[in-house]
Amino acid sequence: MLICSDEIHCDLVYPGAGHLPIASLGPEVSRRTVTLMAPSKTFNIPGLRCSFAIVQDPALRARVAGDHGGDFAEVNSLGLVAATAAYRDGQPWLDEVLQYLESNRTIVVDFVRRELSGVTMVAPQGHVPRVARLPAERY
């Protein structure tokens, strides 16, 4: 089975939590995984068409690159420059975003505990990536 893991939100985790890429679970998982990532969610730069796939297995990488059905486009210059700047210089901005999001999470959790008797909630640690299963015969 091929695993296509959308990990575009991997940097949006709160302090004390961490992101565990599915491909890091072991060599047998890594060999079958296409990990999708982009700076667009983390750094709020959508529309710049600068996403990427991490495919560790060379044979799978070649098949994915050759059988994209138009899903992968060339990266534009603006997207590449923005992604480079975000990953290189964006940590202070991301730290502030995470503080803001954590504050919002605290407000929601406190409201649920205080105002919604009988309702329980677990405070999220961050965004949980989606994992899709693709037919193995395609790849």
Side-chain angles (χ1 to χ4, degrees):
M1 165 180 59
L2 176 66
I3 301 168
C4 182
S5 182
D6 179 354
E7 300 188 26
I8 194 169
H9 293 91
C10 68
D11 295 311
L12 296 175
V13 294
Y14 301 120
H19 172 73
L20 179 66
I22 194 165
S24 71
L25 296 179
E28 67 286 345
V29 176
S30 169
R31 192 173 55 250
R32 301 181 283 117
T33 300
V34 175
T35 303
L36 304 175
M37 300 182 77
S40 56
K41 298 293 182 191
T42 301
F43 296 102
N44 197 24
I45 52 173
L48 295 181
R49 299 191 61 106
C50 192
S51 58
F52 54 96
I54 300 170
V55 187
Q56 295 180 8
D57 181 74
L60 178 58
R61 185 179 321 115
R63 290 194 312 252
V64 168
D67 184 25
H68 54 75
D71 291 335
F72 301 116
E74 295 294 322
V75 174
N76 66 63
S77 298
L78 181 59
L80 183 58
V81 169
T84 301
Y87 286 128
R88 185 187 57 224
D89 303 318
Q91 191 63 50
W93 183 86
L94 179 56
D95 292 342
E96 288 185 36
V97 167
L98 289 170
Q99 287 177 355
Y100 178 80
L101 293 174
E102 189 173 19
S103 174
N104 286 346
R105 176 190 69 168
T106 300
I107 291 168
V108 171
V109 169
D110 289 347
F111 176 83
V112 169
R113 289 183 181 146
R114 186 179 63 251
E115 303 292 334
L116 302 176
S117 67
V119 175
T120 59
M121 120 174 239
V122 174
Q125 296 178 336
H127 179 77
V128 178
R130 299 175 306 232
V131 176
R133 292 178 9 184
L134 300 177
E137 62 273 2
R138 180 168 176 197
Y139 295 97

